[in-house]
């Protein structure tokens, strides 16, 4: 594996005269080199005796580092072919992947889906995998997938005495059209402005920051966002599954990830844990696990500043590039960022009830934890005020996620149709429109143009913020079913950009 992409490695085995020994060459990491012991024990327990020869394995290409236990099975098969136990011609056009137990059991490994996809692209016709990985490999329809429980099963298959049955794609390879959880917006009392912001964010795949006192309902709102998002398309499901396969997050026998990811890491997470990387070969971070889904950062100001600043580039580019001395890896990271935070250290700033105990200096230090460039990358900034006691006791249910989701789906369909008319433009939602696409897709009337220019001057919006307001107005117009952007759409979009430009106003309980 190289990021979420795979390369084909050819495993060679040679038996030569000399003192009995076993060597693996070709930039093999420790997990690959340790495979010598597993292969030796698995062959012995399968009834084979290694010849007293010098055994050399070569992994091509030799200038690419190899890591992981997935080389155990191909090492064993190559050695058996060198010993004459397996006919070399029976290996033609077949790839092998799997970890071996000491008893010869073939055990699951990571990254089988992208490996299977690369094998198909290279013209390899069949692949032998562990049973737990067969479902994800079968998603690649061009391959004949064979699941082997043990090394003995592989040998019987190659000899033709007991061929392994082909594992066919299951019924779970089609993305599910509806949400797979029961968290509903109808359970949220009041907070109509927050629900409206969620709807806009879902419709255009916009980032959202919520500011409010403890217990106001910020987390409750955020966790209901997946229920109003559009379903994963098949290409999106494949992309998400590739990431989860590489990260080892797929359940045994799972073929595809059907639901948009929702990741909510703790604020103590490290930069490598959130962005990706770490020692050795870089690992998948939370932002990649949230690909085509939601990354929710609760208590935003408690995250390390270095961790938060690392989000800036992925938010713009939709990917993260991790550079190491051994090379550079790229992981996809096209996610919706949703953040929640208190207005001050105690959480009760400007609530109007006198409970705030923070000094001006403490408030200033608290506000300084978030940099201006990071705040600029949020499309929507909203206040979530505390609810009045009377609203908490209401029994009448609010609008359901199902109804909100229907409007979101209609808005997304308008976006996709507009993009299709213009040749796709390389975007899937309004938040991904670049400056060139904005000129084509975001036509303002005279009143809207004047209002946006006046707001830019008064609020001191940067070029990035200006474009974000324009994208936001385009989404609001799509929810309204309008082809052109009017002054009302622009006005609503501007109000979601004012919270990071002016001091917090006194917030009264909603009631």
């Amino acid at each position: 594996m190289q990021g979420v992409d795979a390369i084909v490695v050819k495993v060679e085995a040679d038996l030569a005269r000399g003192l009995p020994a076993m060597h693996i060459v070709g930039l093999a990491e420790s997990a690959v080199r340790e495979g010598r012991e597993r292969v030796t024990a698995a062959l012995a327990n399968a009834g084979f005796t290694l010849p007293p020869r010098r055994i050399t394995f070569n992994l091509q290409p030799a200038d690419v580092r190899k890591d992981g236990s997935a080389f155990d099975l191909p090492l064993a098969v190559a050695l058996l072919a060198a010993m004459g136990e397996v006919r070399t011609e029976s290996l033609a056009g077949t790839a092998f992947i799997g970890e071996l137990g000491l008893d010869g059991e073939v055990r699951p490994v990571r990254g089988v889906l992208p490996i299977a996809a690369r094998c198909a692209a290279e013209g390899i016709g069949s692949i032998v995998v562990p049973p737990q990985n067969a479902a994800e490999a079968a998603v690649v329809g061009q391959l004949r997938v064979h699941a082997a429980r043990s090394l003995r099963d592989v040998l019987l298959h190659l000899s033709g005495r007991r061929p392994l049955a082909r594992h066919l794609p299951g019924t779970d390879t089609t993305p599910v059209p509806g949400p797979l959880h029961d968290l509903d917006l109808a359970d949220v009392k009041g907070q109509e402005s927050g629900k409206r912001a969620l709807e806009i964010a879902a419709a255009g795949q916009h980032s959202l920051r919520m500011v409010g006192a403890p217990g106001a309902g910020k987390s409750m709102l955020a966790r209901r966002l997946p229920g109003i998002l559009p379903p994963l398309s098949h290409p999106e499901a494949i992309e998400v599954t590739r990431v989860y396969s590489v990260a080892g997050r797929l359940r045994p026998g799972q073929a595809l990830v059907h639901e948009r990811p929702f990741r909510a890491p703790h604020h103590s997470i490290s930069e490598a844990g959130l962005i990706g990387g770490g020692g050795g070969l870089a690992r998948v971070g939370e932002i990649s696990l949230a690909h085509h889904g939601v990354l929710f950062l609760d208590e935003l100001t408690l995250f390390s500043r270095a961790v938060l600043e690392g989000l800036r580039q992925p938010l713009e580019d939709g990917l993260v590039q991790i550079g190491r001395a051994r090379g550079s890896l790229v992981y996809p990271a096209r996610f919706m960022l949703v953040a929640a935070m208190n207005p001050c250290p105690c959480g009760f700033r400007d609530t109007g009830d006198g409970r705030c105990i923070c000094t001006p200096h403490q408030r200033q230090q608290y506000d300084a934890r978030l940099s201006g460039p990071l705040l600029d990358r949020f499309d929507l900034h909203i206040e979530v005020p505390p609810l009045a006691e009377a609203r908490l006791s209401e029994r009448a249910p609010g609008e359901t996620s199902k109804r909100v989701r229907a409007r979101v789906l209609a808005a997304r369909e308008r976006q996709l149709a507009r993009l299709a008319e213009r040749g796709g433009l390389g975007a899937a939602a309004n938040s991904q429109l670049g400056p060139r696409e904005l000129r084509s897709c975001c036509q303002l009337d005279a009143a809207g143009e004047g209002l946006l220019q006046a707001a830019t001057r008064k609020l001191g919006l940067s070029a990035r913020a200006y474009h974000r307001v324009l994208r936001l107005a385009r989404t609001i117009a799509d929810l309204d079913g309008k082809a052109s952007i009017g002054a009302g759409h622009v006005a609503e979009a501007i109000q979601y950009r004012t919270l990071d430009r002016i001091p917090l106003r006194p917030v009264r309980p909603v009631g």
Side-chain angles (χ1 to χ4, degrees), residues 1 4-11 70-71 74 91-98 109-129 136-146 242:
M1 295 303 307
V4 293
D5 297 317
I7 62 170
V8 175
V9 176
K10 184 177 181 180
V11 181
F71 291 94
L91 306 179
T94 303
F96 299 86
I97 181 172
V109 294
R110 300 180 179 186
V112 170
L113 175 58
I115 290 173
R118 184 54 183 261
C119 287
E122 294 284 339
I124 297 173
S126 63
I127 185 171
V128 178
V129 300
E136 57 176 304
V139 172
V140 184
Q142 305 95 312
L143 276 179
R144 296 187 304 275
V145 178
H146 304 285
R242 287 169 70 98

Side-chain angles (χ1 to χ4, degrees), residues 272-301:
L274 186 68
I275 308 301
L281 295 178
R283 300 298 182 184
V284 178
E286 288 289 334
I287 62 173
S288 295
L289 293 174
H291 184 53
H292 287 315
V294 178
L295 177 68
F296 175 48
L297 302 184
D298 200 5
E299 304 296 345
L300 181 66
T301 53

Side-chain angles (χ1 to χ4, degrees), residues 91-430:
L91 306 179
T94 303
F96 299 86
I97 181 172
E99 177 184 323
L100 288 178
L102 299 184
D103 58 353
E105 178 190 6
V106 182
R107 296 175 177 172
V109 294
R110 300 180 179 186
V112 170
L113 175 58
I115 290 173
R118 184 54 183 261
C119 287
E122 294 284 339
I124 297 173
S126 63
I127 185 171
V128 178
V129 300
Q132 297 91 333
N133 298 125
E136 57 176 304
V139 172
V140 184
Q142 305 95 312
L143 276 179
R144 296 187 304 275
V145 178
H146 304 285
R149 296 187 177 277
S150 66
L151 181 58
R152 175 64 64 178
D153 289 343
V154 177
L155 299 178
L156 293 174
H157 171 73
L158 294 174
S159 66
R161 287 180 286 172
R162 194 172 70 193
L164 295 168
R166 180 178 180 179
H167 189 98
L168 299 175
T171 57
D172 60 342
T173 58
T174 302
V176 179
L180 302 179
H181 50 81
D182 56 358
L183 295 179
D184 200 296
L185 280 175
D187 301 330
V188 181
K189 304 293 185 182
Q191 303 299 0
E192 303 305 327
S193 61
K195 294 176 183 178
R196 172 63 175 173
L198 281 187
E199 182 178 344
I200 296 172
Q205 199 174 322
H206 298 286
S207 54
L208 167 66
R209 181 174 72 110
M210 296 181 286
V211 182
K218 303 182 296 294
S219 299
M220 192 176 188
L221 285 168
R223 294 187 181 278
R224 281 151 179 78
L225 179 57
I228 63 174
L229 288 174
L232 284 171
S233 66
H234 189 71
E236 288 176 335
I238 293 290
E239 289 183 32
V240 174
T241 306
R242 287 169 70 98
V243 175
Y244 276 67
S245 176
V246 170
R249 299 298 185 100
L250 292 181
R251 300 186 305 273
Q254 183 180 7
L256 283 179
V257 175
H258 294 303
E259 189 175 5
R260 290 190 181 272
F262 182 88
R263 306 295 300 179
H266 190 261
H267 58 74
S268 61
I269 192 171
S270 66
E271 186 174 3
L274 186 68
I275 308 301
L281 295 178
R283 300 298 182 184
V284 178
E286 288 289 334
I287 62 173
S288 295
L289 293 174
H291 184 53
H292 287 315
V294 178
L295 177 68
F296 175 48
L297 302 184
D298 200 5
E299 304 296 345
L300 181 66
T301 53
L302 297 184
F303 285 80
S304 162
R305 178 155 185 158
V307 169
L308 294 179
E309 293 302 306
L311 292 172
R312 288 161 55 177
Q313 179 262 337
L315 282 171
E316 290 295 318
D317 299 339
L319 53 87
V320 57
Q321 185 168 356
I322 303 171
R324 292 291 183 270
R326 299 177 179 179
S328 180
L329 298 179
V330 176
Y331 291 115
R334 181 74 66 186
F335 59 92
M336 288 179 59
L337 176 60
V338 178
M341 57 177 286
N342 296 331
C344 65
C346 75
F348 299 103
R349 177 181 181 179
D350 295 330
T351 55
D353 54 9
R355 285 189 291 171
C356 182
I357 59 173
C358 302
T359 64
H361 178 66
Q362 289 175 326
R363 294 177 180 179
Q364 185 179 15
Q365 285 187 317
Y366 185 81
D367 294 338
R369 293 180 185 178
L370 303 178
S371 69
L374 177 63
L375 290 175
D376 222 21
R377 282 166 169 80
F378 284 96
D379 294 336
L380 296 95
H381 302 260
I382 65 167
E383 294 175 276
V384 182
L387 281 182
E389 296 179 4
R391 297 297 303 272
L392 292 173
S393 59
E394 287 182 352
R395 295 185 177 274
E399 191 175 29
T400 64
S401 292
K402 183 177 180 179
R403 293 186 60 182
V404 177
R405 190 170 189 260
R407 295 196 295 268
V408 169
L409 289 175
R412 284 286 184 104
E413 288 173 1
R414 295 186 186 98
Q415 295 171 45
L416 293 175
R418 182 169 55 248
L419 293 169
E421 292 176 358
R422 292 162 174 79
L425 299 180
N430 286 334

